């Protein structure tokens, strides 16, 4: 989290959070569903490394993720 904070700086539209630790969610789709319920006016974007793009079809309820938010893959 410290590295993320360092990378983002004080950007007013990006929040670094440990929500999975606080809510007990373990799957991305569960976390995103909870976030969208808590912040319905927020446009979430899931950022993931390009190495995960080839594994997306193995993620739990991966098709639902695509309906919940945009997914952007970035090089690491």
């Amino acid at each position: 989290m410290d590295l993320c904070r360092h990378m983002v700086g004080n950007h007013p539209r990006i929040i670094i959070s440990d929500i999975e630790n606080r809510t007990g969610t373990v799957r991305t789709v569960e976390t995103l569903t909870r976030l969208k319920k808590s912040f319905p006016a927020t446009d979430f974007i899931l950022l993931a490394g390009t190495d995960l793009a080839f594994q997306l079809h193995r993620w739990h309820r991966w098709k639902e993720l695509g309906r919940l938010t945009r997914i952007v893959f970035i090089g690491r």
Side-chain angles (χ1 to χ4, degrees):
M1 287 186 55
D2 288 338
L3 179 58
C4 289
R5 285 187 191 103
H6 177 72
M7 290 173 59
V8 171
N10 293 323
H11 195 289
R13 297 182 65 190
I14 299 176
I15 299 169
I16 307 301
S17 170
D18 66 344
I19 191 167
E20 292 91 353
N21 287 334
R22 291 184 284 118
T23 62
T25 55
V26 294
R27 304 281 189 173
T28 303
V29 70
E30 296 165 353
T31 302
L32 190 55
T33 299
R34 188 171 291 211
L35 282 169
K36 289 185 72 74
K37 284 180 183 175
S38 297
F39 305 97
T42 301
D43 183 24
F44 291 98
I45 300 171
L46 175 61
L47 299 176
T50 52
D51 55 310
L52 296 177
F54 300 106
Q55 299 176 20
L56 183 62
H57 68 283
R58 296 181 182 165
W59 289 18
H60 181 73
R61 294 168 34 201
W62 68 276
K63 289 181 182 179
E64 188 174 342
L65 276 175
R67 288 189 292 271
L68 288 170
T69 191
R70 288 179 284 163
I71 303 172
V72 176
F73 294 100
I74 55 175
R76 297 193 212 204

